[in-house]
Amino acid sequence: MGKDTIVELCIGLWILNDRITGTLEYYQMSTKDMIMRQPLSNFTGFENITTNLGQVNNSGLRWH
């Protein structure tokens, strides 16, 4: 369970009396506070612990 932040920006294009159309989209997604199980050494007597392992960022352009 993490906290997601999403940003999207869309631009629509219509050229030559709608003969050529499309959409350009920019997106950015950030997920943080990702709670996951982390394996531990057998020396501890436990197999794993639940911990906050970090953050993932994803961004890009899409053309439709």
Side-chain angles (χ1 to χ4, degrees):
M1 300 278 183
K3 297 178 185 175
D4 293 335
T5 303
I6 301 172
V7 176
E8 290 190 42
L9 175 64
C10 301
I11 298 173
L13 301 172
W14 298 270
I15 302 171
L16 300 174
N17 292 330
D18 292 338
R19 290 183 185 176
I20 300 174
T21 63
T23 304
L24 181 63
E25 298 178 10
Y26 170 77
Y27 65 92
Q28 183 176 15
M29 181 175 169
S30 177
T31 303
K32 62 181 182 177
D33 297 333
M34 298 172 55
I35 307 297
M36 303 177 86
R37 293 187 184 270
Q38 182 177 15
L40 294 176
S41 169
N42 290 337
F43 176 75
T44 64
F46 298 96
E47 292 182 18
N48 54 52
I49 60 171
T50 302
T51 185
N52 179 351
L53 287 182
Q55 176 173 320
V56 174
N57 295 314
N58 187 11
S59 64
L61 291 173
R62 288 186 283 228
W63 172 259
H64 299 271

